[in-house]
């Protein structure tokens, strides 16, 4: 499992503060969800969620960490 940060609007993965990628294997990985959240908060990265990325996409878990992503996820549920 990899821990990644993803923009919840365009679904791109964080590569660096100035780069995003559509390819999960190119994305920056974090040692823990907590470190990913702290990184996003310290750098004020908007509209992101944590993705617990597994070998098979169907097992991936998305966890919204900003209000924008929570609103998007709630809209999808309704």
């Amino acid at each position: 499992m990899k821990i990644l940060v993803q923009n919840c609007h365009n679904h791109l993965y964080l590569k660096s503060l100035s780069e995003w990628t559509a390819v999960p294997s190119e994305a920056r990985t974090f040692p823990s969800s907590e470190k990913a959240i702290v990184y996003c908060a310290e750098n004020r990265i908007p509209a992101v969620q944590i993705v617990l990325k597994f070998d098979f996409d169907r097992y991936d878990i998305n966890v919204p960490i900003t209000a924008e992503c929570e609103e998007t996820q709630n809209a999808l549920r309704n």
Side-chain angles (χ1 to χ4, degrees):
M1 176 192 73
K2 293 180 182 179
I3 299 170
L4 309 176
V5 171
Q6 183 183 51
N7 179 292
C8 62
H9 296 304
N10 62 21
H11 303 287
L12 296 178
Y13 296 95
L14 179 72
K15 193 171 182 179
S16 71
L17 281 177
S18 60
E19 287 185 279
W20 295 82
T21 180
V23 182
S25 62
E26 294 177 359
R28 176 181 177 156
T29 59
F30 291 86
S32 70
S33 296
E34 180 181 6
K35 294 211 184 263
I37 292 167
V38 168
Y39 181 87
C40 292
E42 286 177 348
N43 291 287
R44 298 181 180 167
I45 303 172
V48 289
Q49 61 189 3
I50 300 298
V51 178
L52 306 178
K53 189 81 174 137
F54 293 89
D55 290 335
F56 297 102
D57 292 344
R58 68 177 178 252
Y59 298 124
D60 291 355
I61 299 170
N62 299 334
V63 181
I65 61 170
T66 61
E68 301 98 330
C69 291
E70 286 182 26
E71 291 168 7
T72 300
Q73 193 172 53
N74 287 338
L76 291 173
R77 288 183 186 153
N78 294 329

